[in-house]
Amino acid sequence: MGQGEQRAGLTYNDAGATVNLRGNGMRVSNMMFLASVDSATTGIPAFNMDTGFFGQRLDNCIFTNDAGIDDFKTMVRLGAKESLIEGNMFIAADTFGCAKAISIVGGDPDNTIIRNNYFYGNFDSAGDTASDSTGSGVIVQDTTDTTDSNLSGLVIENNKIISTDTRAT
């Protein structure tokens, strides 16, 4: 289905758009997820590996944007157990990037692997036109769904992170 930017894709031009995986053993591969508005998917992830399921896979996909101000607030929400996120590119806008590349739901994604992904950009913003490190980052545990902080068997390995943080501390 193509390589690089020459692949099938979804363009998010509304703040309420999301893709939900609601089934066991589902795989999404070689897709482009493109934010074409600022703070696309406000309050919800661009891609949701939903809780209550297992064995989901996200691989060889690109999360990126149309222009410097367009971005996702949260690229991926990980809640499915025994799943795999591998070989993806997560690219945030250089100036005011996204809040989270991967938001991990506390207590749910047991025995999941996040490996060999490429993260580039500013992941410390509120996902809009302000920089805010609260609850932001490349791979973040999100306890708004649950206060459970036990992540049994979660493996995060061999990911490349290139930060273009512009926040002054």
Side-chain angles (χ1 to χ4, degrees):
M1 284 202 3
Q3 297 179 8
E5 292 188 0
Q6 303 298 315
R7 63 179 75 204
L10 299 170
T11 300
Y12 293 78
N13 54 19
D14 187 308
T18 191
V19 171
N20 290 300
L21 290 189
R22 292 194 175 132
N24 297 325
M26 298 182 82
R27 178 181 182 189
V28 173
S29 182
N30 206 33
M31 295 278 296
M32 178 185 289
F33 298 87
L34 184 69
S36 67
V37 294
D38 182 31
S39 298
T41 67
T42 298
I44 56 175
F47 189 82
N48 185 12
M49 300 173 80
D50 213 351
T51 57
F53 300 105
F54 65 89
Q56 296 179 352
R57 182 173 178 161
L58 176 67
D59 63 270
N60 301 307
C61 293
I62 298 174
F63 290 80
T64 190
N65 55 74
D66 269 358
I69 194 167
D70 299 339
D71 232 320
F72 295 110
K73 207 150 172 135
T74 300
M75 293 179 175
V76 174
R77 175 183 179 266
L78 173 59
K81 296 174 182 3
E82 300 167 7
S83 295
L84 177 66
I85 298 175
E86 178 176 41
N88 301 288
M89 294 178 70
F90 299 90
I91 302 170
D94 232 350
T95 311
F96 298 109
C98 98
K100 302 171 188 129
I102 300 174
S103 177
I104 301 171
V105 180
D108 278 324
D110 293 342
N111 304 312
T112 289
I113 300 171
I114 301 171
R115 70 176 173 215
N116 301 326
N117 297 288
Y118 174 80
F119 301 91
Y120 173 84
N122 181 359
F123 289 95
D124 77 342
S125 78
D128 52 20
T129 56
S131 189
D132 175 17
S133 62
T134 306
S136 303
V138 174
I139 302 172
V140 179
Q141 182 181 0
D142 185 356
T143 55
T144 58
D145 287 329
T146 175
T147 57
D148 187 349
S149 61
N150 182 15
L151 298 172
S152 176
L154 177 67
V155 176
I156 301 172
E157 64 181 5
N158 299 324
N159 295 287
K160 181 175 243 178
I161 301 169
I162 300 173
S163 175
T164 58
D165 183 6
T166 57
R167 183 182 172 109
T169 55

